[in-house]
Amino acid sequence: MKKRISALIPVAAFAVIVAFLGYRLFDQSRRPVELPSVRIGKPAPDMSLPPLLEGAAPLDSGFYEGRVAVVNFFASWCGPCAEEHPYLMELSKRPDIVLVGVNYKDRNGRDWIAKRGNPYAVIGDDSKGVATINFGVYGLPETFLIDSAGIVRVRYAGALTGKVWAEKFEPLLGMNKP
Amino acid sequence: MRRDGNRWKAAALAPVLALACVLSALAANPLSDPVLEQRARNLSRELRCVVCQNQSIDDSDAPMAQDLRRIVREKIASGASDDEIKVWVSDRYGDFVLLSTPMKPHTLLLWAGAPIFLCLGLLGVFFYWKRRRREKATPDALTREEEERLNRILSGNGDRAP
């Protein structure tokens, strides 16, 4: 009898390992595709980009210094960017945030904005992709919340919706109010 | 993304794509100094492409990987060391982009895990053999029936139950 129980030990150990690995494999909250941003809690990188729209002001990070900024990385070829566009239009009406756009390596960004409307206070043309890499962006769209002290508070990868905004962005807006 | 019907087409395309990937890696304006270019290639192989995450930026043709390859070359040309470039990239994308995991306090379990489990396994094998040898050296004591039967045989009463 004692022998039979000890023979079960390897089987039990194997079951424990399978359960652990299986849990980590299917655990949706820890998907490796969703890279955690190393920028959270750190100063946002400076940006200095030429304007996307003709005659508009260039994008300089001094523009939103001391204000709460939402920086949105987008491109015309990106499906979820079109999906979140109506919500960004809505967001642009808010007086307490500056909505900043960064157009990533895109030839049709100007036409895209002309066709759909411009939700951004200022849009930078990141034709070399360096500003985008400085923010640690790995896919489009991505949206960052930068507080009035210039610290990155939230990074969200994927289309921004009212639900995402209410869950991830809105609760942090009260922080660091001047 | 590939549909089943397109399998043959995809198979035919594979070598073309492989060639395109090689060409694309080369097309990133190689540095004129072959030693520096070799360093750039080696470094690119150690950096994960964040778009197609199981490829290095040397293998990947994603636009972001092309940008990172260009940045690696620019930094090498301006005299940055390999470690400085790795820090620059991991400051932006985290340790995840380094294809060889750095040795840090929170990665210690990962690095030590395999040797620890190997030692545990060897210990298990060692104790298992030790126990088997001891069991062979001292056979189990006879049960009562066996002892009675043995006594009967030895006393000449034959191997039959009474």
Side-chain angles (χ1 to χ4, degrees):
Chain A
M1 201 59 207
K2 199 183 143 216
K3 253 193 182 157
R4 222 174 263 171
I5 289 170
S6 64
L8 281 176
I9 289 174
V11 180
F14 181 69
V16 168
I17 293 170
V18 166
F20 174 71
L21 294 181
Y23 172 71
R24 294 297 287 259
L25 185 63
F26 294 106
D27 182 8
Q28 290 297 310
S29 65
R30 294 188 64 104
R31 281 162 58 209
V33 259
E34 275 177 26
L35 299 179
S37 175
V38 284
R39 285 290 190 205
I40 304 288
K42 292 191 184 142
D46 286 337
M47 277 196 286
S48 180
L49 294 171
L52 178 74
L53 306 178
E54 250 171 294
L59 167 52
D60 189 277
S61 29
F63 177 77
Y64 50 83
E65 212 178 274
R67 301 178 66 188
V68 176
V70 172
V71 181
N72 177 254
F73 292 83
F74 73 99
S76 61
W77 44 261
C78 139
C81 298
E83 204 180 297
E84 70 177 2
H85 185 268
Y87 185 70
L88 293 179
M89 291 302 281
E90 213 174 292
L91 207 56
S92 68
K93 292 177 197 145
R94 289 186 56 149
D96 54 339
I97 53 174
V98 191
L99 190 53
V100 176
V102 178
N103 188 217
Y104 174 71
K105 293 179 83 173
D106 191 0
R107 282 194 207 101
N108 305 315
R110 204 169 297 166
D111 296 342
W112 195 78
I113 288 290
K115 202 175 98 190
R116 288 170 193 267
N118 180 9
Y120 307 105
V122 57
I123 311 176
D125 179 13
D126 193 15
S127 54
K128 288 201 171 130
V130 176
T132 304
I133 285 175
N134 276 339
F135 266 80
V137 171
Y138 66 91
L140 297 179
E142 273 189 34
T143 309
F144 292 77
L145 180 72
I146 301 171
D147 70 13
S148 53
I151 306 291
V152 178
R153 291 296 171 194
V154 185
R155 190 275 297 270
Y156 181 74
L160 199 61
T161 60
K163 191 166 169 271
V164 171
W165 179 268
E167 276 172 13
K168 306 205 171 193
F169 289 76
E170 194 70 50
L172 291 158
L173 278 186
M175 290 172 66
N176 263 312
K177 272 218 168 121
Chain B
M1 305 292 149
R2 215 156 56 204
R3 259 158 274 144
D4 274 359
N6 285 339
R7 216 179 266 166
W8 285 108
K9 243 185 247 171
L13 263 175
V16 182
L17 285 176
L19 186 66
C21 284
V22 172
L23 289 177
S24 69
L26 291 175
N29 289 333
L31 297 166
S32 50
D33 183 338
V35 179
L36 293 187
E37 174 60 21
Q38 193 54 50
R39 256 184 67 201
R41 291 300 301 271
N42 289 344
L43 203 52
S44 298
R45 266 179 221 125
E46 286 177 44
L47 295 173
R48 186 193 298 272
C49 169
V50 283
V51 183
C52 5
Q53 295 182 354
N54 281 334
Q55 281 187 311
S56 71
I57 60 167
D58 192 64
D59 294 329
S60 175
D61 203 20
M64 209 159 267
Q66 293 173 12
D67 291 344
L68 278 167
R69 281 202 300 269
R70 201 193 62 237
I71 289 170
V72 164
R73 281 176 174 77
E74 280 170 11
K75 290 200 174 292
I76 284 181
S78 66
S81 76
D82 288 9
D83 284 339
E84 278 165 6
I85 296 170
K86 280 189 199 168
V87 167
W88 189 90
V89 181
S90 65
D91 273 352
R92 281 151 184 78
Y93 289 101
D95 285 344
F96 183 67
V97 292
L98 306 174
L99 284 173
S100 51
T101 309
M103 191 84 96
K104 285 184 176 181
H106 70 274
T107 59
L108 201 63
L109 188 65
L110 188 66
W111 278 97
I116 287 175
F117 277 106
L118 182 68
C119 290
L120 283 179
L122 287 175
L123 270 178
V125 170
F126 174 73
F127 283 118
Y128 175 75
W129 279 107
K130 221 176 126 182
R131 207 182 63 192
R132 271 191 59 145
R133 267 183 51 191
R134 206 175 49 220
E135 275 170 7
K136 247 185 217 161
T138 54
D140 288 346
L142 295 178
T143 62
R144 232 162 60 105
E145 290 92 54
E146 283 170 335
E147 211 166 331
E148 278 170 12
R149 195 175 149 217
L150 180 67
N151 285 336
R152 275 199 309 279
I153 293 168
L154 290 176
S155 62
N157 282 347
D159 185 16
R160 246 172 282 130

